[in-house]
Amino acid sequence: MDKEEEQKSIRNEFYDNVNMAPKELEEWLKTEESKSVGQDSGNGESIGHKSGKKIIAIKNKNKDQLTKSDYEHMKKVNSYVSRHTAQGPSSDRKDSPWRYSLMNWGHDPCKDDGC
């Protein structure tokens, strides 16, 4: 697979995984629920919360504006969403730290299964 094909594959998976619009994600990141979950990145803000900000920036770019760093982050998002969707609770999914954490990474699992 050449670089262009690899980037297209990463982008397609990213846009499949990130099912929240930039404005929707921006509003979510302002909530206490968003700020209440995730591993601290070292400055009081969680890794997922920081990721959400990067996702907004990526989604607001055209594909020809995406950088190597953007693609690296998109791969990280794809990996996170894939791992964490598989680990969901069997009940009370809607108001769970599991969902809140995924939403920080731009993926609302309730859009897929209605919670």
Side-chain angles (χ1 to χ4, degrees):
M1 180 183 307
D2 70 13
K3 183 179 178 182
E4 198 172 304
E5 288 175 355
E6 182 184 8
Q7 288 179 337
K8 183 178 180 184
S9 174
I10 292 166
R11 271 194 323 273
N12 288 343
E13 187 178 352
F14 176 80
Y15 282 98
D16 285 346
N17 282 326
V18 177
N19 64 3
M20 296 173 74
K23 185 75 178 150
E24 184 182 15
L25 182 53
E26 195 175 312
E27 291 301 314
W28 164 251
L29 292 175
K30 293 176 186 174
T31 68
E32 286 307 310
E33 292 86 353
S34 169
K35 296 172 186 171
S36 72
V37 295
Q39 183 179 346
D40 192 321
S41 66
N43 69 352
E45 183 178 21
S46 76
I47 294 167
H49 204 268
K50 280 186 174 181
S51 173
K53 292 176 182 176
K54 287 182 188 175
I55 290 166
I56 292 166
I58 289 169
K59 287 193 85 171
N60 283 325
K61 291 182 179 183
N62 293 321
K63 77 176 183 183
D64 59 336
Q65 295 174 304
L66 296 171
T67 65
K68 183 178 183 210
S69 173
D70 291 332
Y71 280 101
E72 288 169 2
H73 192 71
M74 290 160 75
K75 282 171 71 172
K76 191 174 178 180
V77 170
N78 292 341
S79 176
Y80 183 89
V81 171
S82 176
R83 273 193 329 274
H84 281 65
T85 52
Q87 300 171 356
S90 56
S91 62
D92 192 27
R93 296 161 59 91
K94 187 174 184 192
D95 297 312
S96 67
W98 168 78
R99 178 181 179 221
Y100 299 162
S101 185
L102 276 165
M103 288 175 70
N104 281 351
W105 288 80
H107 179 80
D108 183 353
C110 290
K111 287 187 175 189
D112 295 336
D113 65 19
C115 287

